[in-house]
């Protein structure tokens, strides 16, 4: 996420907490204060390992129960983060620090990239024969040592995860009105250059899309659907490149590196959304989050591995909304 997206998400979470709505999930952590660098290193390491490539967000200076904000000093927290990094073995999660002012008080957003997992934390056992390192793992809002199945997920996904480089995105809302019923069509296009490490299947029904429409940062509409289809983009000369993937009505099979177009086309019939047809749309945004459900196949691996699924590259794409009457 860029700084604007981090700020928007942080403010939205603060407002949700103030309205007594639960916000902590697999990708969000809220702390009123941070004290012990070792304990925080354990928690960040466990959270980053369990996220398995997804970005996570920590908000420091917010009371998750009351919504009260406690001014947090950016300089002191920066020194604290440096102390945390000393407890990681070799690789540390990349932490982007952003100071956000809300109602005159400062909270700190830590946007943490986790694409270099697994992250190993150093310990100092009293018995020299005990392990000096361990792999932390987030469970619920706590943490524990990783189990065999957890490590299996991390290493398997890292070995088979294709590289996705976002090239472009776009989207729009299309409103139609007739004598029977008014409808809104949501169209989104996400363009990726995909580099598979092995032949990769992308079933559309396992790839979830969350659509959120906001107006002046207030949520207007939220909708979850499936990926509509994947297609190979047209080149400038009008010819398609067809040798990097096979695309069908229900899935795409990626063989070689190349550009792919991920399509979201949904018809919505909803009063809360349709009321905008008469209003000025300034400040309205269409946000699309895509969760790809992948199936990896490789002849030398077992049937269990062939059917292993993962969520990959949960991306947020902000595009302007427009009406075509």
């Amino acid at each position: 996420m860029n700084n604007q997206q981090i700020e928007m998400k942080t403010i939205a979470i603060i407002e949700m907490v103030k309205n007594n709505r639960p916000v902590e999930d697999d990708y969000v952590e809220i702390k009123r204060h941070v004290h012990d660098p070792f304990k925080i290193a354990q928690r960040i390491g466990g959270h980053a390992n369990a996220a398995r490539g997804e970005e996570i967000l920590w908000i420091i200076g917010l009371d998750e129960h009351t919504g009260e904000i406690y001014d947090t000093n950016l300089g002191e927290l920066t020194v604290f983060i440096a102390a945390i990094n000393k407890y990681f073995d070799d690789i540390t999660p990349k932490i982007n620090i952003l100071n956000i002012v809300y109602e005159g008080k400062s909270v700190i957003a830590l946007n943490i990239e986790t694409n270099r997992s697994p992250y190993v934390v150093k310990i100092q056992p009293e018995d020299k024969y005990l392990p000096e390192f361990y792999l932390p793992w987030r469970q619920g809002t706590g943490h524990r040592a990783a189990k065999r199945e957890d490590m299996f997920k991390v290493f398997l996904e890292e070995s088979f995860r294709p590289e996705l480089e976002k090239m472009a995105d776009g989207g729009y809302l299309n409103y139609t009105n007739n004598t029977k019923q008014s409808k809104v069509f949501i169209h989104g296009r996400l363009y990726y250059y995909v580099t598979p490490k092995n032949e990769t299947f992308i079933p559309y029904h396992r790839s979830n899309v969350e659509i959120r429409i906001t107006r002046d940062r207030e949520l207007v509409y939220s909708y979850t659907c499936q990926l509509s289809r994947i297609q190979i983009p047209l080149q400038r000369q009008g010819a398609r490149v067809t040798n990097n993937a096979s695309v069908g009505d229900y899935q795409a099979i990626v063989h070689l590196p190349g550009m792919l177009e991920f399509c979201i086309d949904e018809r919505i019939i909803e009063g809360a959304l349709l009321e905008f047809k008469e209003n000025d749309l300034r400040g309205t945004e269409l946000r699309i989050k895509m969760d790809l459900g992948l199936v990896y196949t490789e002849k030398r691996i077992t049937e269990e591995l062939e059917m292993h699924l993962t969520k990959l590259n949960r991306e947020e794409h902000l595009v302007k909304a427009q009406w075509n009457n």
Side-chain angles (χ1 to χ4, degrees), residues 166-270:
K166 189 181 73 172
M167 306 301 291
D169 58 22
Y172 62 95
L173 307 178
N174 178 264
Y175 170 73
T176 60
N177 188 15
N178 54 42
T179 56
K180 295 183 178 180
Q181 197 169 42
S182 299
K183 302 174 185 177
V184 170
F185 294 85
I186 297 177
H187 306 279
R189 296 293 183 269
L190 314 175
Y191 297 88
Y192 285 95
Y193 190 89
V194 183
T195 305
K197 296 179 182 178
N198 294 277
E199 188 175 65
T200 302
F201 284 67
I202 308 178
Y204 305 152
H205 71 283
R206 292 178 179 171
S207 300
N208 298 319
V209 176
E210 179 187 355
I211 297 172
R212 293 167 61 89
I213 298 176
T214 60
R215 182 181 178 89
D216 297 325
R217 298 183 178 180
E218 293 290 333
L219 180 64
V220 174
Y221 188 76
S222 178
Y223 184 75
T224 302
C225 60
Q226 297 174 359
L227 180 68
S228 299
R229 67 187 182 281
I230 295 174
Q231 60 190 25
I232 300 170
L234 283 171
Q235 304 301 301
R236 290 183 178 178
Q237 65 271 27
R240 287 182 183 271
V241 178
T242 59
N243 60 348
N244 69 307
S246 302
V247 295
D249 294 334
Y250 304 102
Q251 68 177 5
I253 307 173
V254 186
H255 311 292
L256 297 170
M259 182 80 77
L260 290 177
E261 178 182 355
F262 296 78
C263 305
I264 298 97
D265 296 293
E266 283 296 318
R267 182 182 65 178
I268 310 296
I269 304 173
E270 183 73 22

Side-chain angles (χ1 to χ4, degrees), residues 26-27 51-54 157 161 206-208 290-294 296 308-314:
D26 290 342
Y27 307 102
R52 287 150 41 205
E54 304 281 1
E157 291 171 10
R161 187 193 310 274
R206 292 178 179 171
S207 300
N208 298 319
M290 183 172 63
D291 235 353
L292 293 184
L294 306 182
Y296 305 124
H308 182 74
L309 303 179
T310 180
K311 292 181 178 179
L312 177 66
N313 277 33
R314 180 175 176 173

